[in-house]
Amino acid sequence: MACKCGGYYYTLNAKASFDRDLAKTRKFLLRNVSVIRMFTSGFFRSKWRSIAGKRRILSMDAREKSRSTILESSKDKRVPIFVMMPVDIFTLDASGCPRIRKLKALTVSLKALKLAGVHGIGVEVWWGIVERFSPFDYDWSLYEELFKLISDSGLKLHVALSFHSNIHSTHGKGGVSLPLWILEIGDVNKDIYYRDQQGFSNNDYLTLGVDHVPLLSGRTALQCYEDFMLSFVNKFESFIGTVIEEISIGLGPSGELRYPAHPFGDGRWKFPGIGEFQCYDKYIFACRMEDLKMAACREGKPQWGDKGPQNAGCYNSLPSGVPFFEEGKESFLSDYGRFFLEWYSGRLICHADAILAKAAKILKKYQENEQTSVMLVAKIGGIYWWYQTLSHPAELTAGYYNTALRDGYDPVVSVLSRHGAALHIPCLEMMDSETPPTYLCSPEGLLKQMQSVSKKRIVNLIGRNTTERLDKTGLWKIRSNCYNPQAEVVRSFTYFRMNDSIFRVENWNNFVPFVRMMSTDL
């Protein structure tokens, strides 16, 4: 005899056990509700066996040879859930040193999530905290304490090595800047950051123009990232593959592989603006002089190598009336338009290639033993507005040369495939019908495209939400996208983020069944 529940079938005994567990977590929460409500922000995953822990980082050749094995393993229908740490988990003490906020509240929250069936916690490991004061001065004490707390709660870890700042996105509340010694260099030389056409710089992330230029106390940006990754794995070697199951490598603003074309928080951009190209710092122009200018001269168009498009509007322009994003002679379809966009997106792809190559090399030794395998992850932005136009302008300014006529995500995912990295995709909770029709949004179309190209390139998927959804409609949309019959089942899902709203009774009663269903074989 069976009982139907939310599209799944449980035996009556299983359902009774589920109800007892749900009551147990609710009782735990009610007993500790005053502590839990002190929190704001989160991310989640299930308590069953690790999937990522049995996955190896593979070279491109190995992945091609093992295609059938990978596709077969994806038939496992369990989708472990991670919950991301609150954005304001750290605060500065009187001496200016970071510390964990509200430790008691965090401990209670972790126990509640574990009881609910969450598998692990996502933690951003900030460059601006660990190497805060001076080069090579790594202080891991804060993360030693936090990782132990999470591990002692019986939860696993998704670690996001974060080489960006979130000061602007948090409006200074609980935000983390780049390392102070980097900011000191930036005060003297603002060209270590991306610049727009008006000369405004963005200090959320170093420009890819300094990837190979030794301006950072004698090191290049790539050397800084590599040294940080090496220090991390040396410090937490005993955790890798046991507690730490996924390691995401920051590749740009918000950790995503993209240009800061839509800078929110500083007043320059507001949704649904198309954004602006970010290629005007002198170091990225130096790169341009080597590859773009020479190519332009070969084409008999030396002026193509001097500057970006002059008819591409501004941050808050809409596509209509902006010549570069329409279909005229000087548009993205022109010889110059294609020439520029290939260079602009190509530099971003080279940036990802260089960092992921270093990350894969560092993690390779952990793949020699299946007990220490770990999933390498790369995060991509969800630029879904104006997706239904011909030019996809918001994606173009962000560095994704993706239009109605060209698949711009295939070359990105090809790089991930070469280094054995999983693709962290957004928008799993979003529906086209819930977006403003005027702005020609299609989060569902974008997601479908990413799923398609990842399947083609044999790249594992990790899902995440873009907006907070704790209602049944939003959570069930996530479930539907994780189990899309036209795509591979995602390897895990990360919920952004842990906050007090998760623990409210009406939300908790939706969240817990969702986690349990995602963690059970279909």
Side-chain angles (χ1 to χ4, degrees):
M1 190 173 183
C3 173
K4 187 174 182 181
C5 178
Y8 291 79
Y9 290 85
Y10 297 94
T11 65
L12 291 180
N13 287 338
K15 184 177 185 299
S17 174
F18 173 84
D19 290 342
R20 285 195 298 272
D21 286 344
L22 183 56
K24 184 178 180 181
T25 57
R26 185 182 293 115
K27 182 178 179 181
F28 179 88
L29 287 170
L30 290 174
R31 189 168 63 244
N32 297 280
V33 68
S34 62
V35 177
I36 291 174
R37 284 182 177 172
M38 295 165 68
F39 258 101
T40 57
S41 129
F43 175 113
F44 64 132
R45 172 172 175 176
S46 102
K47 68 178 181 180
W48 279 265
R49 64 172 177 77
S50 163
I51 290 175
K54 295 191 175 181
R55 193 74 46 218
R56 290 190 177 206
I57 296 176
L58 302 171
S59 68
M60 185 63 170
D61 291 341
R63 291 175 68 82
E64 291 292 347
K65 291 176 182 177
S66 61
R67 179 184 181 92
S68 60
T69 302
I70 293 174
L71 296 181
E72 181 68 24
S73 68
S74 71
K75 292 179 181 178
D76 189 325
K77 299 300 183 181
R78 300 176 182 179
V79 178
I81 304 298
F82 285 89
V83 179
M84 200 65 154
M85 271 288 168
V87 69
D88 59 349
I89 184 63
F90 299 123
T91 188
L92 298 179
D93 61 21
S95 64
C97 295
R99 62 175 178 81
I100 300 173
R101 294 179 68 248
K102 302 175 182 176
L103 198 56
K104 183 179 179 182
L106 177 59
T107 303
V108 171
S109 297
L110 293 175
K111 289 180 179 178
L113 292 172
K114 175 64 177 176
L115 285 172
V118 168
H119 181 82
I121 300 298
V123 176
E124 288 142 325
V125 175
W126 295 99
W127 186 23
I129 286 179
V130 176
E131 198 179 359
R132 182 174 180 78
F133 295 106
S134 57
F136 295 108
D137 183 14
Y138 303 109
D139 182 358
W140 296 104
S141 58
L142 204 62
Y143 288 101
E144 287 181 289
E145 181 183 3
L146 183 58
F147 288 2
K148 184 178 185 304
L149 179 64
I150 293 169
S151 178
D152 288 348
S153 299
L155 294 159
K156 302 298 184 179
L157 274 165
H158 170 119
V159 172
L161 301 184
S162 301
F163 300 113
H164 64 283
S165 163
N166 69 346
I167 290 291
H168 291 121
S169 60
T170 59
H171 303 286
K173 183 181 179 181
V176 180
S177 70
L178 293 180
L180 299 182
W181 62 275
I182 290 286
L183 296 181
E184 290 175 358
I185 295 171
D187 287 340
V188 177
N189 182 6
K190 292 190 181 300
D191 281 296
I192 66 170
Y193 308 125
Y194 287 109
R195 279 182 183 267
D196 61 21
Q197 193 167 359
Q198 290 73 42
F200 292 109
S201 60
N202 185 314
N203 63 357
D204 285 345
Y205 187 78
L206 295 174
T207 170
L208 59 80
V210 298
D211 279 357
H212 302 282
V213 184
L215 296 172
L216 310 174
S217 295
R219 288 185 291 170
T220 67
L222 286 179
Q223 288 172 333
C224 289
Y225 305 148
E226 182 180 23
D227 291 339
F228 186 89
M229 291 187 284
L230 283 167
S231 180
F232 172 80
V233 297
N234 288 335
K235 170 58 72 172
F236 296 106
E237 186 168 20
S238 63
F239 280 71
I240 294 177
T242 54
V243 177
I244 298 173
E245 296 183 341
E246 301 176 355
I247 298 179
S248 176
I249 308 299
L251 299 173
S254 299
E256 300 169 346
L257 177 63
R258 61 177 174 84
Y259 292 100
H262 312 95
F264 52 89
D266 66 1
R268 280 184 290 167
W269 173 84
K270 291 182 180 179
F271 178 86
I274 59 176
E276 290 190 16
F277 293 109
Q278 306 287 312
C279 55
Y280 293 93
D281 61 87
K282 66 182 181 182
Y283 300 108
I284 206 167
F285 260 92
C287 295
R288 176 192 291 254
M289 292 305 165
E290 294 178 10
D291 51 20
L292 189 66
K293 186 88 174 181
M294 290 177 64
C297 289
R298 286 196 298 269
E299 293 290 329
K301 301 285 186 180
Q303 67 274 20
W304 285 2
D306 292 335
K307 53 192 174 183
Q310 301 299 293
N311 59 347
C314 58
Y315 285 110
N316 295 306
S317 295
L318 306 184
S320 178
V322 178
F324 189 77
F325 300 115
E326 294 188 319
E327 299 179 50
K329 294 181 180 179
E330 297 181 349
S331 74
F332 73 102
L333 295 171
S334 67
D335 289 343
Y336 167 72
R338 289 193 294 270
F339 186 77
F340 171 78
L341 291 171
E342 285 175 2
W343 171 80
Y344 188 68
S345 62
R347 296 302 305 175
L348 195 65
I349 292 169
C350 288
H351 173 68
D353 191 24
I355 297 178
L356 291 177
K358 293 183 180 297
K361 182 179 179 180
I362 291 168
L363 293 175
K364 183 178 180 180
K365 71 174 184 178
Y366 299 99
Q367 308 312 307
E368 297 171 358
N369 181 343
E370 280 213 13
Q371 301 304 311
T372 61
S373 61
V374 63
M375 184 175 286
L376 176 63
V377 180
K379 189 177 176 184
I380 198 168
I383 314 297
Y384 59 85
W385 54 104
W386 308 117
Y387 185 86
Q388 298 184 59
T389 64
L390 184 65
S391 61
H392 294 218
E395 289 169 273
L396 296 184
T397 57
Y400 306 130
Y401 188 4
N402 190 57
T403 70
L405 306 174
R406 184 184 191 275
D407 186 347
Y409 295 104
D410 183 69
V412 174
V413 177
S414 294
V415 169
L416 271 61
S417 180
R418 182 160 62 251
H419 299 298
L423 175 64
H424 200 170
I425 56 174
C427 303
L428 267 69
E429 84 293 0
M430 299 188 75
M431 289 167 266
D432 289 1
S433 60
E434 295 181 344
T435 60
T438 308
Y439 307 141
L440 300 174
C441 304
S442 186
E444 293 181 85
L446 176 62
L447 178 59
K448 183 178 180 180
Q449 183 179 356
M450 291 182 182
Q451 289 172 324
S452 175
V453 72
S454 67
K455 186 173 183 178
K456 171 186 173 183
R457 295 295 179 182
I458 325 171
V459 167
N460 284 318
L461 292 178
I462 290 177
R464 72 179 187 272
N465 54 307
T466 298
T467 59
E468 181 182 281
R469 292 296 293 266
L470 289 163
D471 59 294
K472 286 184 178 179
T473 301
L475 292 174
W476 262 240
K477 181 63 176 178
I478 292 171
R479 174 198 161 276
S480 174
N481 281 324
C482 286
Y483 293 111
N484 187 333
Q486 305 303 317
E488 296 303 309
V489 175
V490 302
R491 310 311 299 176
S492 66
F493 180 82
T494 59
Y495 186 86
F496 280 68
R497 305 181 169 254
M498 187 192 305
N499 57 40
D500 60 346
S501 64
I502 290 179
F503 302 106
R504 293 172 188 155
V505 173
E506 65 273 18
N507 293 332
W508 190 251
N509 287 344
N510 296 332
F511 180 73
V512 175
F514 164 76
V515 173
R516 297 296 174 86
M517 285 190 294
M518 295 283 278
S519 307
T520 305
D521 286 335
L522 288 178

